Amino acid sequence: MEPDSSLFIDHKQPSKGIKRALNNYHGETEWHRNWKAAFPPAFREVSFSDITLGEIHRADVHTPCGTTLEFQNSPICLEELKSREAFYPKLIWILNGKKFKGFRVLKNLPDVNDPALDAYDFCHTDHLSMIRKPDFLRGSPRVLSFHHPELRKLPITSCYYSFCWKHPHRVWYQAKNPIVVDLGGHFIYQLKQRRQLSGDYPYLHMMTRKSFIEQYVR
């Protein structure tokens, strides 16, 4: 599936009279280039010509399966986020987390989708704890640590993590498409949210950079 039926992929220079709407093309960083180098040349800098609007959009990486990867080194506004997500239906954001202020990976979590946790909400604190949903609905939530008898036998995973982001770029919490945070090294982290009565709980799903890339390069 391509971004829009009125578009065509253009590997050549845009025609005269068509304006550019190129994202993250000028002033690329080494971080951008390192990510792009992990993909075949044919996947990189794929241009889409929007005949209706007379624009050229250039994807950082566009794979044969129709997935677009956008490598974002700096904050963007909500309008720009919505615009790109509307243009690329199968978009994945890759963020340079090394530039985030006050961002820390904290503790391993249990499986957030474990049915044993259906009656609980994670607390929105740096300390790993939960509350019972019925208590929350009654307006008298009691905080339970994972040493509590109801929780202490839950297995802890090696792929789900809590995190702290003291100065978050809140626009990313409004993204509809997947977000992957690159903190450097062999591992990357997908930012996810668990739906909860007391407010959605953001957490990280860790994976290797290699396994992520191999989904699209076989």
Side-chain angles (χ1 to χ4, degrees):
M1 179 179 179
E2 299 302 342
D4 190 273
S5 59
S6 64
L7 309 176
F8 64 89
I9 298 178
D10 182 9
H11 293 281
K12 301 177 181 179
Q13 293 296 322
S15 302
K16 185 177 181 181
I18 296 181
K19 62 182 179 180
R20 293 171 179 256
L22 305 182
N23 300 319
N24 290 334
Y25 181 59
H26 299 291
E28 277 193 340
T29 65
E30 183 179 356
W31 177 80
H32 279 101
R33 292 190 291 272
N34 286 341
W35 263 103
K36 289 181 182 179
F39 297 88
F43 292 13
R44 308 175 206 160
E45 301 295 342
V46 179
S47 296
F48 294 92
S49 299
D50 187 327
I51 301 173
T52 303
L53 297 178
E55 293 181 344
I56 292 289
H57 294 262
R58 179 171 291 160
D60 287 336
V61 166
H62 186 75
T63 68
C65 67
T67 299
T68 299
L69 306 180
E70 284 286 285
F71 305 113
Q72 194 67 30
N73 189 52
S74 57
I76 63 173
C77 65
L78 181 59
E79 181 182 5
E80 178 65 17
L81 179 138
K82 289 182 176 180
S83 173
R84 292 198 214 174
E85 292 194 333
F87 189 82
Y88 298 112
K90 295 173 65 177
L91 172 66
I92 298 177
W93 297 99
I94 312 293
L95 311 184
N96 185 358
K98 290 183 289 185
K99 299 189 71 174
F100 292 169
K101 294 181 179 179
F103 189 99
R104 291 184 296 122
V105 179
L106 296 177
K107 297 182 179 181
N108 297 75
L109 296 174
D111 184 348
V112 297
N113 299 310
D114 189 334
L117 294 178
D118 286 350
Y120 301 88
D121 277 5
F122 283 94
C123 295
H124 297 268
T125 67
D126 291 353
H127 303 288
L128 189 56
S129 55
M130 305 196 81
I131 57 174
R132 302 184 189 95
K133 288 182 180 179
D135 292 347
F136 174 77
L137 292 173
R138 286 193 294 267
S140 56
R142 177 189 172 192
V143 176
L144 309 176
S145 75
F146 274 74
H147 296 293
H148 190 277
E150 295 178 26
L151 302 175
R152 65 187 177 195
K153 292 185 179 180
L154 284 170
I156 300 298
T157 72
S158 59
C159 61
Y160 295 129
Y161 286 84
S162 61
F163 69 99
C164 170
W165 196 356
K166 293 298 184 183
H167 306 285
H169 303 152
R170 297 196 178 278
V171 66
W172 294 120
Y173 287 120
Q174 300 185 57
K176 304 297 183 184
N177 293 74
I179 290 175
V180 174
V181 179
D182 175 19
L183 297 174
H186 297 293
F187 296 99
I188 56 178
Y189 301 84
Q190 184 173 350
L191 177 60
K192 295 185 175 182
Q193 297 194 65
R194 182 181 191 252
R195 302 302 180 192
Q196 300 192 153
L197 290 176
S198 59
D200 293 349
Y201 178 76
Y203 66 97
L204 300 174
H205 182 188
M206 186 181 76
M207 67 193 85
T208 65
R209 186 177 186 270
K210 180 180 178 182
S211 66
F212 174 80
I213 293 170
E214 286 177 345
Q215 296 177 75
Y216 308 104
V217 180
R218 299 183 184 279

